[in-house]
Amino acid sequence: MATSDPPMPMSAIDLHMHSTASDGRLAPAAVVERAAARGVELMALTDHDTLGGIAEAQAAARRQGIRCLAGIELSARWARGVVHIVGLDIDPSHPALAMGVTAQQAERRRRAARIGERLERAGMKGIAARATELVGEGVPGRAHFARALVADGVVRDMQSAFDRYLQRGRPGYAAVEWAGIEQVVDWIHAAGGVAVFAHPLRYRLSRGALRAAIQAFVTAGGTSIEVSNGGGGRDDLVAAAALARRFGLSASMGSDFHDPDFRWVEIGRLAPIPGDLTPVWTSMEGVA
Ligand code: AMP
Ligand code: MN
Ligand code: MN
Ligand code: MN
């Protein structure tokens, strides 16, 4: 965020956050407790390619008296890269979605093994074991490898871990065959959910390539885009709102919270959605 931006207001709605079920630092129940303590009334847990945290989060939400939508953030193949599609208000037990998630997890497992091999070959002994230790029950993602590289003193912070080791073209990069955008949107719709094109300004795509990716999402039947996001500043919000108008998409808002130590992203710290856009939750049964 630029230093000239005004302080972010608190939002009672936050539809994008992570737990230890994927690469977040807090257990699902702790994420919900933090959300409730910060005044969030409607949230969604949206872990990467897993439904593993939802039951715990929803049980905690019942105790806290807030609403927690079942969600997921699916990685989707786009051209030679990846975009993230958030599914909101899904049925986590739907077999088509569950099978898709199983396939994505298998890809993650394959990739984790390759990242481990590549980093070990580059001299980082024991890094795979360290990443596995850090992840607990799930599959190590790039964030876990980044934390392992920081823990081993190889790099100073996660950003350097990505820049020097984990980004495409770096020694610890391994390609992944994610499902395509159309497939991912189909899984979300099969499970009764709403598909949201996540953090549109965070991909390293040209303006034309970004529009083409969103067009592919719209052609697949996707109906919403994340307009207000925890990481971006005012310019990103204005650009994302323009994309929502251009493609006739409803607007979502979510912090993408991962870690209490990342001070610049916090649950509920979100700019409001511009008044002319349709909020994504207005189409959801029993919400707002
Ligand atoms: P993966 O889905 O395993 O490829 O990992 C992607 C995740 O890594 C993102 O969701 C972020 O949580 C994290 N990530 C990506 N780039 C960075 C970065 N530069 N610094 C810190 N975390 C990052
Ligand atoms: Mn993440
Ligand atoms: Mn993402
Ligand atoms: Mn996310």
Side-chain angles (χ1 to χ4, degrees), residues 11-12 14 42 44 70 78 93 114 116 131 143 162 171 175 196 221 271 276:
S11 165
D14 186 336
L42 175 64
W78 167 250
S93 65
R114 290 193 54 212
F162 275 88
V196 182
D276 64 306

Side-chain angles (χ1 to χ4, degrees), residues 2 30 47 77-78 105 109 120 138 142 164 174 190 205 207 222 235 239 248 255 285-286:
D47 276 307
R77 188 177 69 248
W78 167 250
Q105 285 292 323
R109 214 162 285 120
E120 304 257 345
R142 286 191 296 166
R164 288 170 56 190
L205 294 174
R207 223 147 52 134
D235 293 351
S255 61
E285 238 168 274

